[in-house]
Amino acid sequence: MTIKQRGVLNSLSMFDCYMSASELANDELRELVRNQLARYHVQPGIEGRLSWGVTDAGRAISQRIKRGAL
């Protein structure tokens, strides 16, 4: 896992975020979704805005990183 992926996973474990176009286009960050550590979702009532958040597996890994286990 890269430093950028660790940072994004840490942020997503605190709160869901809107995705920017550059985040959506970034292969390194999309890898978090492909590995089921993060997920995409649509905010109700906000048309065309994609958000993302951490999955349970991503939250567990983020906590291990914070403790220094990974």
Side-chain angles (χ1 to χ4, degrees), residues 38-65:
R39 59 175 164 54
Y40 301 134
H41 61 279
V42 177
Q43 291 288 345
I46 302 176
E47 197 169 311
R49 297 283 311 256
L50 191 61
S51 294
W52 62 335
V54 73
T55 62
D56 290 337
R59 188 175 318 282
I61 288 175
S62 177
Q63 289 171 352
R64 291 182 68 194
I65 290 169

Side-chain angles (χ1 to χ4, degrees), residues 4-52:
K4 181 189 284 186
Q5 289 171 326
R6 287 173 181 247
V8 168
L9 199 59
N10 181 48
S11 294
L12 293 177
S13 72
M14 290 184 277
F15 42 79
D16 289 357
C17 303
Y18 288 120
M19 292 191 77
S20 67
S22 60
E23 289 171 333
L24 189 56
N26 188 302
D27 288 333
E28 189 176 4
L29 298 182
R30 283 198 322 257
E31 192 68 27
L32 292 173
V33 175
R34 281 192 286 268
N35 288 320
Q36 298 180 350
L37 301 177
R39 59 175 164 54
Y40 301 134
H41 61 279
V42 177
Q43 291 288 345
I46 302 176
E47 197 169 311
R49 297 283 311 256
L50 191 61
S51 294
W52 62 335

